[in-house]
Amino acid sequence: MARRTTFNPAVSTLPEGIVDDAAVLDNAHVGDIRGALGTIRRGDVAARPGLSAKLKTLLAIVGPGLIVMVGDNDAGAFGTYTQAGQNYGTHLLWTLLLLVPVLYVNQEMVLRLGAVSGVGHARLIMERFGKFWGAFSVIDLFILNALTIVTEFIGVTLAVGYLGLPKLPSVALAGALVVGAVSTGSFRRFERVCMALVVGSIILIPIFVAVHPPAMQMAHDFVVPGLPHGAALSTVMLLIIAIVGTTVAPWQLFFQQSYVIDKRITPRFIKYERVDLWIGIVIVVVGAAAMFGFSDAVFAGRPEFGNFTTAAGVAEGLGRYVSKTMGDLFAIALLDASIIGAAAVGLATAYAGADVLGINHSLHRPITRAKGFYACYAGLMVVAAALVLAPGVPLGLLTEGVQTLAGVLLPSATVFLLLLCNDKEVLGPWVNSKKLNIFTATVIGVLVVMSVILTASVLFPAITSGQILAVMGVGAGVGIVVGLYFVVRQRQTEALTVPVEWQKRETWRMPALNRLARPVMSAQRKVGLTTLRAYLLVAFALVVVKVVEVAVK
């Protein structure tokens, strides 16, 4: 483990009594930043003039973006990316490149919300949109996260099964490790465990090097979009949406915002947290591309190509056609990914649950001072592990289905995120720029269109690729129009007097929630949200239909 670094100048600190974090709901979220790799004292406003000082600050800040991204390459991601490679080669690799800006924009918005507001994502949604609308978002999260944690323990069973370890004690040990890492009452200890797991994710690189897939073909497919020839369109669309859902998952929004708050990161350090996020994105894309590449190269020209079963089948292929060591390494990487994924998704759910219930929640608190928070987390792990150990569960199909549902529900989560990031009461001088609004609205439009295409491909199997591109073009156009709407709204409010305190951007934080003016829910917004919700319910149902259809074939 890297040595602890501390940046703590004797001067330039704020007096202890100053109220610079009035929005923070839990006093455990106020104090020194105690990261895995360094410490920054509360009230530290000293300049970082040299590279060494900047690096020490980054080491102390790094964590939220890195953990949320590596946690994103979880058991579901292993199954989804290797399925794409084994069944369709690298034809769908371009989806990763398109998702990079989506990943960054979504997660940058929530890290900004966390650092500026000091309030978790679920609590902000409830406070700014009311319990009726907030309940939809939180219910979606709980259902999806519970299913996602099940897929993490599925990953554990697949990994230990390949390694020849007993299933029951292995799952129990993994569950105990995940719960134990969170329950120490020390934020720093938890983050150090996660950093060790992050290092474990690098195991995918030597596997890629050993298999040595065709680099030029991968480079081409990474930048040139295309669909595999001869494959059923509805099945391919199901997989593409699963790739979207596993790469940009709704739980990530809730996790990173709350984790940034729990780490006590303030607006002054947002630029460092953005670097942390980019480091995480690079790691997740490199790992995903590696899985596409070596799962294609291992099975190309062999009977298993096009016949994906589970991630354990990929480990078996590596062991059979490359070397036993490579098969073992993949299984270990899968186990590592499943544990960090379960920890991150479980924390996202526990944070959101505590936000909604108004109970203490922080990794800085021991179990005795946050019983409900830790009970929610541990309960999720126990239930998920029990379901996985139950006989007759279709493990591989459940994994793909959960990732697809995440992709279908993502537009709803992104809509609320966009609205919050344009709320001047919440973000003040940190609200979205015009360009960011146009981009995010376009992303929402494309995500909705993708679920429309999935719907159409289920109802009308004869739909062509040309028709799909036309529909996607219309969806992007609609997204741009919505983005322009936000630009016009911004221009209408630009004439308002800018408060003097907004000029001090690095120290501005959202006032306490009870001091904020409640936003007016216009009829136009109600109609838009209701329409989106109704459609997503239909799309959700059709995903279930398609998954069942694949299961019975």
Side-chain angles (χ1 to χ4, degrees):
M1 184 64 66
R3 69 181 180 85
R4 173 182 170 184
T5 57
T6 302
F7 192 82
N8 181 28
V11 296
S12 301
T13 56
L14 296 173
E16 188 64 25
I18 196 167
V19 184
D20 62 327
D21 35 38
V24 176
L25 296 176
D26 190 330
N27 59 19
H29 298 153
V30 180
D32 298 345
I33 296 173
R34 298 184 181 276
L37 305 177
T39 297
I40 300 174
R41 298 300 181 191
R42 181 188 178 193
D44 179 356
V45 295
R48 270 70 171 170
L51 180 61
S52 175
K54 288 182 172 63
L55 181 58
K56 288 179 180 179
T57 302
L58 178 61
L59 286 173
I61 295 296
V62 74
L66 188 57
I67 294 169
V68 76
M69 287 294 99
V70 175
D72 184 42
N73 259 2
D74 59 357
F78 269 58
T80 302
Y81 298 143
T82 55
Q83 178 181 4
Q86 183 175 341
N87 284 359
Y88 305 116
T90 56
H91 287 293
L92 299 179
L93 194 56
W94 54 271
T95 56
L96 297 179
L97 180 62
L98 293 183
L99 287 172
V100 167
V102 180
L103 268 175
Y104 177 76
V105 168
N106 272 15
Q107 296 307 126
E108 191 278 337
M109 284 194 285
V110 289
L111 77 84
R112 198 167 4 112
L113 277 171
V116 175
S117 74
V119 177
H121 201 63
R123 180 64 180 271
L124 270 184
I125 292 175
M126 300 287 282
E127 291 286 341
R128 303 307 286 167
F129 301 103
K131 294 180 180 179
F132 176 77
W133 294 104
F136 283 120
S137 179
V138 174
I139 290 170
D140 282 352
L141 178 79
F142 272 73
I143 295 174
L144 187 59
N145 282 10
L147 292 172
T148 302
I149 295 170
V150 172
T151 68
E152 310 301 356
F153 280 97
I154 289 173
V156 172
T157 63
L158 295 176
V160 299
Y162 176 80
L163 294 170
L165 301 174
K167 183 176 177 180
L168 179 58
S170 297
V171 169
L173 181 61
L177 175 62
V178 172
V179 173
V182 167
S183 308
T184 64
S186 168
F187 183 95
R188 169 169 283 164
R189 278 196 289 269
F190 170 77
E191 190 162 271
R192 284 178 171 171
V193 170
C194 287
M195 289 300 182
L197 294 170
V198 167
V199 173
S201 70
I202 301 174
I203 294 174
L204 292 170
I205 304 302
I207 300 174
F208 179 86
V209 172
V211 176
H212 52 82
M216 293 304 296
Q217 182 64 44
M218 287 188 66
H220 173 272
D221 290 342
F222 190 69
V223 297
V224 179
L227 295 175
H229 301 293
L233 185 57
S234 60
T235 303
V236 174
M237 284 308 304
L238 193 73
L239 184 56
I240 290 176
I241 295 179
I243 292 171
V244 173
T246 194
T247 308
V248 192
W251 69 262
Q252 295 170 279
L253 308 180
F254 292 81
F255 174 85
Q256 188 168 5
Q257 184 166 332
S258 291
Y259 197 81
V260 162
I261 296 165
D262 214 0
K263 191 160 184 178
R264 302 165 175 170
I265 293 173
T266 61
R268 178 171 178 77
F269 301 106
I270 283 178
K271 60 183 178 181
Y272 291 97
E273 181 50 34
R274 287 170 175 159
V275 175
D276 171 40
L277 177 59
W278 272 118
I279 294 171
I281 289 173
V282 169
I283 291 175
V284 78
V285 171
V286 168
M291 285 188 274
F292 267 88
F294 65 64
S295 57
D296 171 29
V298 166
F299 296 108
R302 294 189 167 102
E304 297 93 340
F305 188 82
N307 297 299
F308 176 82
T309 52
T310 64
V314 177
E316 291 169 3
L318 284 164
R320 182 181 305 117
Y321 300 120
V322 184
S323 72
K324 185 178 184 304
T325 300
M326 292 302 108
D328 290 344
L329 285 179
F330 182 79
I332 293 169
L334 173 59
L335 182 60
D336 177 272
S338 302
I339 291 173
I340 193 172
V345 179
L347 262 183
T349 314
Y351 278 137
D355 271 340
V356 172
L357 297 174
I359 59 178
N360 287 337
H361 56 292
S362 173
L363 295 178
H364 294 285
R365 293 182 181 275
I367 294 176
T368 55
R369 296 175 58 201
K371 295 178 182 177
F373 170 67
Y374 289 112
C376 175
Y377 181 87
L380 284 167
M381 299 304 154
V382 170
V383 172
L387 285 174
V388 168
L389 293 172
V393 177
L395 303 183
L397 191 60
L398 178 59
T399 300
E400 182 186 356
V402 169
Q403 309 314 313
T404 306
L405 290 175
V408 167
L409 294 175
L410 183 61
S412 176
T414 309
V415 165
F416 282 111
L417 175 59
L418 181 60
L419 293 173
L420 285 172
C421 285
N422 282 278
D423 190 335
K424 288 183 170 61
E425 292 281 331
V426 173
L427 281 184
W430 292 94
V431 291
N432 278 4
S433 66
K434 298 171 185 177
K435 291 181 180 179
L436 186 55
N437 280 332
I438 293 175
F439 177 83
T440 308
T442 303
V443 167
I444 293 170
V446 171
L447 290 172
V448 171
V449 168
M450 288 182 69
S451 62
V452 170
I453 292 171
L454 175 64
T455 303
S457 64
V458 172
L459 299 178
F460 310 103
I463 189 171
T464 66
S465 58
Q467 291 169 327
I468 283 179
L469 292 175
V471 174
M472 292 186 74
V474 171
V478 171
I480 292 172
V481 170
V482 175
L484 291 173
Y485 165 76
F486 278 102
V487 170
V488 172
R489 286 284 304 276
Q490 279 187 325
R491 285 181 176 174
Q492 290 173 347
T493 59
E494 279 176 351
L496 297 176
T497 302
V498 176
V500 175
E501 61 267 23
W502 282 23
Q503 297 174 16
K504 300 178 181 179
R505 196 165 183 254
E506 286 194 345
T507 58
W508 192 93
R509 300 200 80 184
M510 184 186 82
L513 284 171
N514 59 8
R515 293 168 51 196
L516 301 185
R518 292 297 298 269
V520 177
M521 182 67 78
S522 65
Q524 185 179 18
R525 180 175 288 187
K526 287 181 180 178
V527 170
L529 291 175
T530 302
T531 302
L532 177 63
R533 171 57 53 184
Y535 172 71
L536 290 177
L537 287 173
V538 173
F540 186 100
L542 287 171
V543 167
V544 175
V545 169
K546 182 60 184 175
V547 169
V548 172
E549 179 185 311
V550 172
V552 298
K553 280 185 177 180

